[in-house]
Amino acid sequence: MNQQKLSAERLLVYIVLLVGGILMTLPLFWAIFTSFKTAAEAMQTPPSLFPNEWLIDNYKKLFVELNFGTYLRNTLVLVAFSFLGLFINMMAGYGFAKFKFKNKEKIFYLVLATMMIPGQATMIPNYLILNKMGLTNTMAGIILPGLAGAFTIFLFRQFMETIPDDLIEASRIDGAGNIRIFMQIVAPICKPIIAVQAILGFIHAWNSFLWPLIVANSEDLYTLGVGLSLLKGQNVSDFALQMTGSSVMIVPVIILFLFCQKYIVEGFTTSGLK
Amino acid sequence: MKIRFFSNRPYMIFILPALIILSVFSIFPIFVALGVSLTNMNLIGLLNWSQVQFVGFENYMDLLADKEFRQAFFNTIFYVVFGVPLVVVASLGVALLLDYGKNKFFTAARALFYMPSVTTSVAIAVVFGYLYNNHYGLFNYVLSLLDLPKVPWLTHPIIAKISLILMAAWKSIGFNMIIFLAALQGIPKDYYEAAEIDGAKKWQKLLYIKVPLLGFATFFVASTTLIGWFQFFEEPMIMTKGGPVGSTNSIALFIYDKGFKLSEFGYAAAGSFVLFLIILALTLIQFKLRKKDNGYN
């Protein structure tokens, strides 16, 4: 009796999770399937789940007729610089974890305090500051403000505090300089957290939208996100084309996520959020 | 000289780059926002700073009197009031279900629920714009199959707000569910065993062990979600442009429109400083409450 009740309950959990999981991912797959349809098929009723014929015309249109090749290149440049940002944050994390200096605590709290400052509150002043520097409508202007992040610095510091001081002292006695210790001793130990932060940094840079939208005036500097929002405005009723633009943004991240799921989830659960 | 500076302070090489960037683009801007908010800075002022005049608290007075800002403010409150509980309950529910077992099915289900949260709001907003479409959208088609009337997802003032909330909640379940799941899996097994010896039923374990011990995770999810909803931006910007008639406008979208569409930088800066103060207050309250909170660890 009890056994039977338990399995009924288990079955219910399976069904709810399965249906819920399908509902959660349906919009994503719907967008991907629609990207292979014609504009007419995307608007037909009753709607088709799979395209009648798998066409890649929408993708050709995006990259040949529209400027998505340029947007993709710009997005990849941002991704590359997000790795530089990762390096800067890692250095800062090391500085706070393994050196003793005056006012360290205070400076570190100041770094943490920047987490309270929302992007939407700094977008106006940052635009004015970059304008004064002559950096609006440049790639540098898009990249610079995002290079350092308090939360990433915090995670690196947490991780590096667990590295034994003896190890660093021993290298110092062997005559290694600070930079060399950092690059050859500390960095290899940090591989797991670097991997997680690199994945998250990639996703963040790939999805960048608001800041490039503000700083870039010319289409040459638009990212995929900006290009997609523009596409929606200009091709109001071509849903197939809109879904193609969305798929270009969604699919690479999903593939990356599926491969690195384990690391991302572990990264969150072990990063002191508990 | 330069070399001596760094050899006496080796840590500087490591922390200086990050400190400079954070100071210039995060701390300093808050003071700039405050300063600019007390001026009439606009496009003319941007080109020629000598044209900028000090106007005191005029921008703040205007904000208080501005119907559009008040509407954006109350819309944002609406998002917070309905969005936060929805996200907390939904992600907790999913986490409890996912905590039920440990086999491959549960790992796969976790991936499905987490997937939307790695994708970008921009693409999601474009996709949902299509799904919510009155004539061609999937949602109204499904309703028609069930013989239900069409829903004006994005064209009715209140339903449009709810539509945006549903979509943003759908996107944020994944991340928050992971936090709950981590907390659930961190509960020591002894607690359950002790309860079982005392003859506790499943629902009693849920109600008297799991839910109370999830206090911190719930608090974390609720407060980060609360702050997130106060910054609600991409979804209304792309799907409704704040419409119909301003009914989905948010504080962040208001600042963006005033600043970058109308180039009223002084006025927009006042709006952004108000947003900063709201978030700062919420964060400080959160810190205060967190100190009082003492979970099982």
Side-chain angles (χ1 to χ4, degrees):
Chain A
M1 175 67 190
N2 201 12
Q3 193 65 33
Q4 219 172 16
K5 199 179 130 201
L6 206 72
S7 66
E9 184 185 302
R10 201 172 176 81
L11 190 68
L12 189 68
V13 170
Y14 273 82
I15 291 171
V16 172
L17 280 178
L18 192 67
V19 173
I22 290 170
L23 286 178
M24 287 298 281
T25 41
L26 181 72
L28 304 176
F29 287 108
W30 190 266
I32 295 166
F33 294 146
T34 305
S35 74
F36 294 102
K37 294 175 186 171
T38 62
E41 199 192 343
M43 290 199 279
Q44 92 191 5
T45 35
S48 54
L49 176 58
F50 296 109
N52 288 332
E53 222 185 316
W54 294 77
L55 302 166
I56 57 160
D57 298 27
N58 291 318
Y59 288 89
K60 272 192 202 153
K61 195 173 173 191
L62 275 190
F63 285 95
V64 180
E65 286 173 43
L66 298 163
N67 240 338
F68 269 64
T70 311
Y71 308 156
L72 176 65
R73 192 200 63 204
N74 292 334
T75 304
L76 290 174
V77 170
L78 288 194
V79 167
F81 276 97
S82 81
F83 297 137
L84 173 70
L86 183 70
F87 189 71
I88 289 175
N89 290 328
M90 184 174 145
M91 292 202 317
Y94 180 63
F96 285 114
K98 288 295 170 201
F99 288 93
K100 289 192 184 76
F101 51 90
K102 217 179 133 195
N103 292 329
K104 184 166 99 167
E105 290 291 301
K106 280 181 193 159
I107 299 172
F108 190 64
Y109 277 125
L110 194 67
V111 168
L112 289 185
T114 62
M115 280 201 273
M116 291 183 215
I117 305 171
Q120 284 100 336
T122 53
M123 65 185 175
I124 302 278
N126 266 344
Y127 180 80
L128 299 175
I129 291 167
L130 285 169
N131 189 62
K132 258 288 184 217
M133 294 169 139
L135 290 177
T136 43
N137 203 30
T138 65
M139 207 58 178
I142 298 176
I143 291 163
L144 272 176
L147 278 181
F151 192 53
T152 317
I153 295 173
F154 173 74
L155 294 183
F156 271 117
R157 191 199 72 147
Q158 294 290 89
F159 189 90
M160 286 169 175
E161 278 188 337
T162 63
I163 299 174
D165 286 330
D166 300 352
L167 191 68
I168 293 164
E169 277 312 309
S171 323
R172 193 157 284 148
I173 290 162
D174 288 345
N178 278 311
I179 308 275
R180 187 156 168 191
I181 293 174
F182 178 69
M183 297 298 285
Q184 293 187 347
I185 310 284
V186 176
I189 298 174
C190 291
K191 262 185 200 157
I193 188 170
I194 294 174
V196 174
Q197 293 304 325
I199 297 163
L200 293 176
F202 176 93
I203 292 175
H204 185 74
W206 183 265
N207 291 343
S208 60
F209 169 65
L210 175 59
W211 190 240
L213 175 74
I214 290 170
V215 178
N217 296 325
S218 62
E219 222 174 299
D220 296 344
L221 293 172
Y222 287 170
T223 58
L224 285 172
V226 179
L228 177 60
S229 70
L230 234 75
L231 182 74
K232 168 131 195 315
Q234 289 161 350
N235 294 277
V236 178
S237 58
D238 194 341
F239 292 116
L241 194 64
Q242 289 180 21
M243 292 311 108
T244 312
S246 304
S247 300
V248 168
M249 288 205 77
I250 292 170
V251 171
V253 173
I254 289 183
I255 292 173
L256 182 76
F257 166 70
L258 288 178
F259 277 108
C260 309
Q261 212 221 120
K262 216 181 106 200
Y263 304 103
I264 300 180
V265 173
E266 272 173 13
F268 279 128
T269 52
T270 54
S271 59
L273 284 178
K274 271 198 274 184
Chain B
M1 181 66 191
K2 216 173 172 184
I3 289 168
R4 219 180 52 213
F5 177 82
F6 282 116
S7 61
N8 290 339
R9 303 170 183 78
Y11 56 88
M12 271 295 177
I13 303 170
F14 293 101
I15 64 171
L16 206 57
L19 282 187
I20 291 172
I21 290 162
L22 287 177
S23 313
V24 176
F25 297 110
S26 208
I27 298 168
F28 179 55
I30 285 303
F31 297 101
V32 175
L34 180 60
V36 171
S37 74
L38 304 175
T39 70
N40 65 354
M41 167 82 103
N42 54 21
L43 200 59
I44 301 162
L46 186 68
L47 300 171
N48 180 2
W49 285 58
S50 65
Q51 298 288 313
V52 180
Q53 280 156 3
F54 181 79
V55 296
F57 287 97
E58 201 176 284
N59 286 325
Y60 292 92
M61 294 305 176
D62 290 349
L63 270 184
L64 277 178
D66 190 337
K67 273 193 183 141
E68 204 187 328
F69 181 74
R70 284 212 298 254
Q71 191 184 16
F73 180 81
F74 286 113
N75 288 340
T76 306
I77 300 291
F78 186 100
Y79 293 136
V80 168
V81 168
F82 291 96
V84 175
L86 180 65
V87 169
V88 171
V89 170
S91 30
L92 176 60
V94 174
L96 285 170
L97 287 173
L98 286 173
D99 191 45
Y100 195 86
K102 274 212 156 39
N103 60 30
K104 278 200 177 127
F105 175 82
F106 289 93
T107 318
R110 189 183 67 184
L112 291 183
F113 278 92
Y114 190 61
M115 216 183 267
S117 60
V118 290
T119 56
T120 158
S121 301
V122 180
I124 294 306
V126 173
V127 171
F128 271 74
Y130 173 46
L131 298 175
Y132 277 146
N133 186 285
N134 272 353
H135 304 289
Y136 314 109
L138 181 67
F139 294 155
N140 274 346
Y141 173 72
V142 172
L143 289 178
S144 76
L145 288 182
L146 304 167
D147 268 333
L148 291 167
K150 282 185 175 177
V151 172
W153 295 106
L154 296 175
T155 47
H156 181 281
I158 292 172
I159 297 176
K161 280 196 268 278
I162 296 170
S163 300
L164 292 186
I165 290 175
L166 287 177
M167 177 187 64
W170 166 84
K171 189 178 181 300
S172 66
I173 283 177
F175 175 75
N176 295 309
M177 151 212 107
I178 293 289
I179 311 248
F180 278 123
L181 205 53
L184 276 172
Q185 289 170 355
I187 296 176
K189 294 275 173 292
D190 318 0
Y191 288 30
Y192 298 129
E193 282 159 17
E196 268 160 40
I197 291 166
D198 290 344
K201 299 214 166 52
K202 250 205 165 98
W203 64 268
Q204 286 173 320
K205 278 194 265 177
L206 174 70
L207 216 61
Y208 298 116
I209 300 178
K210 287 187 188 174
V211 173
L213 287 181
L214 287 176
F216 178 72
T218 311
F219 176 68
F220 179 85
V221 168
S223 47
T224 50
T225 308
L226 183 77
I227 291 170
W229 283 108
F230 265 101
Q231 301 173 55
F232 200 44
F233 174 75
E234 270 107 344
E235 291 83 351
M237 187 211 173
I238 287 164
M239 293 178 76
T240 57
K241 301 201 166 36
V245 284
S247 61
T248 58
N249 202 4
S250 67
I251 300 176
L253 185 55
F254 175 89
I255 298 168
Y256 174 81
D257 281 342
K258 290 292 174 238
F260 298 107
K261 285 226 173 106
L262 304 174
S263 300
E264 294 176 13
F265 297 112
Y267 194 45
S272 68
F273 201 72
V274 169
L275 180 65
F276 167 68
L277 290 180
I278 293 173
I279 305 242
L280 182 72
L282 291 172
T283 316
L284 293 178
I285 293 169
Q286 178 191 341
F287 269 115
K288 272 254 156 42
L289 291 173
R290 189 185 283 186
K291 275 198 185 127
K292 277 190 204 152
D293 180 86
N294 39 8
Y296 59 93
N297 46 4

